[in-house]
Amino acid sequence: MIGILTNHLWQSTLFAAVAALLTVAFRGNRAQVRYWLWFSASLKFFVPFALLMSVGSHLQWAPAAKKIATPAITFAVEKIAEPFPSAAVTVRPAPGSAMDRDRLVTFSLFGLWMIGFGAIALLRLRAWRRIRAVVRASTPLEITTMAIPPNLQVRSAPGLLEPGVVGWLHPILLLPADITERLTTRQFEAVLAHELCHVQRGDNLTSGIHMIVEAVFWFHPLVWWIGARLVDERERACDEDVLRLGNDALVYADGILQVCKIYLESPLRCISGVSGSNVKKRIQAILAGRVAGELNFAKKAALAAAGMWALAVPLVVGMMHASSWQAITRPATMPKWEAVSIKACKPGERGGRGNRGGGVDRGDTSPERLNISCIPVSGLIHEAYLTFTDGKADPLRNLPIEGGPEWIKSDLYQINGKAETRTTQEMMMGPMLQVLLEDRFNLKIHLETRDVPAYAMRIAKNGPKLQPFKEGSCIPLSSLRDGPPPAFLPGQQPLICGVEAIWSKGQDRILDMYQVSINQFSGVLRRYLNRPVIDETGIGGPFEFHLEFAPDESTPLLLLRPPGEPAPPENEPRGPSIFTAVEEQLGLKLEPIRGPGEFLVIDRIERPSEN
């Protein structure tokens, strides 16, 4: 959170610096132009570039078709592209860990911010109550010397508060009760014209918005400097308008001086008066009779280009970092189905609802036949688009599947198919099953990559503690093609290369993997942590992984124990968290970041007609 705030602050500071340079370039033009430049710098504090990038992320370029088996797109996400934080799984840091210290710092800074915000809010509330008391004590006043807008109330207020406009939806012009006696008619008309300019410009609304910016970002000196510049330019803009209306400069200057001598300035910046800003400089400019010229074509074009740049750059960056939609393609040449049968399974059938025995029937397979017993459609999608993506087995490939109705997890189907020519089970379970799902289930699906909360796997301070893979320590998966994989007991060394094995040991879990790379190991951790885990170690492999840890809120999937497994005693000692275990047992560390996450997204699916 601190990093995101810091990122936003330097963006806003840079934007304000550009606005300041533009005001210098337009110093010979109307103050109204400079006012809106400063106001845009104020609004930037409320509009992070990430918000525009989020909009841009939904305005993608035409997606390029890529194979689903390609690795995740490499993101070089600049700081400027960091979006708002999104909901994430709660992580329980180890006591005294860096994450624990960061959380303490975050809460401390938030508490300090609340104190500052509350103090400013109380001061503004106090000043506003003073203004409201004056409004309640005021009485209606009729002005006959000049036209008054129909939506503007004019009221006579007791006391020494200067003339000013209160409110913006239903503005009220407060005039001191004795002002007509202290000013000449022409001075009064000039001062009144100044206040009407504030009403027409909507200065109370923009000033109120900046007061909110000051309250929220009170710790940033720049917002207070911008506030002073806004007051300067709004008063000069009204002065220019008053002179442009034909009022005598000397009479107008005398009127302002009389108001400053007799009356008190409003305690709130959002109450537009006549005596704000540097009165000496204003009087000098008024007496000089300087009425700034209009913008020429070149300067109008420069302003338009600056505005387009401020909007277009974050939108384009958002489009560049948009969710990447990858069309799913298959080998150009592959066998086709000669005949396929799809049948919905009934409860109680082999592999039916509640039965975990569904899957490929290895006992009745041949180079051209595929027999899948009752498994849910979500399992079929997983097998076709992940495990056997390109006709090769990759049991460790596991991505979240999003979208689709609930029945794809509950309804189970049995599929029997015969290919036109001899092929492999992997080809039938992968690309050919993809075609079947798209034809018979009307499945529309795509692989999507987007920027999400993630973990970076990096080398710990004391270096890696990885065990190199030893030949013969596991059975190659390819040797199991003609039969079911062998079973192994809890605590027993897994025998299958490249396949994860996890079991319970009291309240803890043990994860073993053999002949896998760190990148593959990271992919397995993704499923347990419910976040992408990005390998940044630069180490290849293969290795043998043995990890013992205690599941907690950071590993919600592992909090669910297998059916029939008794719960361990509550007082049984617990092992370290998965974060501590990775660091202590493997010499690696998991650090929260934002990074690319891949998702299989179902756009459309329908129940098939049986045959």
Side-chain angles (χ1 to χ4, degrees), residues 7 61 91 160 260 265 293 336 399 493 534 539:
N7 189 34
W61 308 109
V91 177
L160 297 177
C260 292
E265 186 178 356
K336 297 183 179 180
L399 302 178
Q493 174 176 293
I534 302 171
I539 303 175

Side-chain angles (χ1 to χ4, degrees), residues 187 190 248-258 282-283 286-287:
Q187 289 174 345
D248 184 85
L250 182 59
V251 172
Y252 179 42
D254 285 340
I256 294 176
L257 289 175
Q258 287 297 320
R282 287 177 57 199
I283 295 298
I286 292 170
L287 293 177

Side-chain angles (χ1 to χ4, degrees), residues 107-120:
F107 283 133
S108 299
L109 292 177
F110 180 74
L112 180 62
W113 174 84
M114 284 292 295
I115 293 173
F117 178 82
I120 293 174

Side-chain angles (χ1 to χ4, degrees), residues 80-163:
I80 195 173
E82 289 185 0
F84 294 118
S86 42
V89 179
T90 302
V91 177
R92 180 190 298 169
S97 66
M99 293 177 64
D100 207 10
R101 292 191 296 272
D102 289 345
R103 180 177 295 181
L104 178 61
V105 171
T106 300
F107 283 133
S108 299
L109 292 177
F110 180 74
L112 180 62
W113 174 84
M114 284 292 295
I115 293 173
F117 178 82
I120 293 174
L122 288 176
L123 290 174
R124 296 279 166 78
L125 178 62
R126 180 184 176 186
W128 178 248
R129 292 181 64 182
R130 288 172 55 191
I131 297 296
R132 294 304 301 171
V134 174
V135 172
R136 285 193 296 267
S138 64
T139 57
L141 179 65
E142 184 176 354
I143 300 294
T144 59
T145 57
M146 59 190 307
I148 302 297
N151 66 325
L152 177 65
Q153 298 183 51
V154 182
R155 302 180 71 87
S156 176
L160 297 177
L161 189 68
E162 69 166 334

Side-chain angles (χ1 to χ4, degrees), residues 346-395:
K346 298 179 180 178
E349 284 191 62
R350 179 177 179 270
R353 291 179 178 86
N355 192 323
R356 302 175 65 193
V360 179
D361 189 347
R362 299 285 182 180
D364 185 20
T365 60
S366 66
E368 68 274 350
R369 290 188 178 275
L370 176 68
N371 297 291
I372 302 177
S373 57
C374 304
I375 63 173
V377 178
S378 59
L380 294 172
I381 294 173
H382 186 281
E383 294 291 297
Y385 292 94
L386 294 176
T387 305
F388 300 97
T389 299
D390 56 355
K392 299 177 182 178
D394 185 1

Side-chain angles (χ1 to χ4, degrees), residues 307-329:
M308 292 177 61
W309 174 85
L311 290 175
V313 168
L315 286 173
V316 170
V317 172
M319 294 170 69
M320 293 173 63
H321 293 276
S323 298
S324 175
W325 286 27
Q326 301 180 42
I328 295 173
T329 61

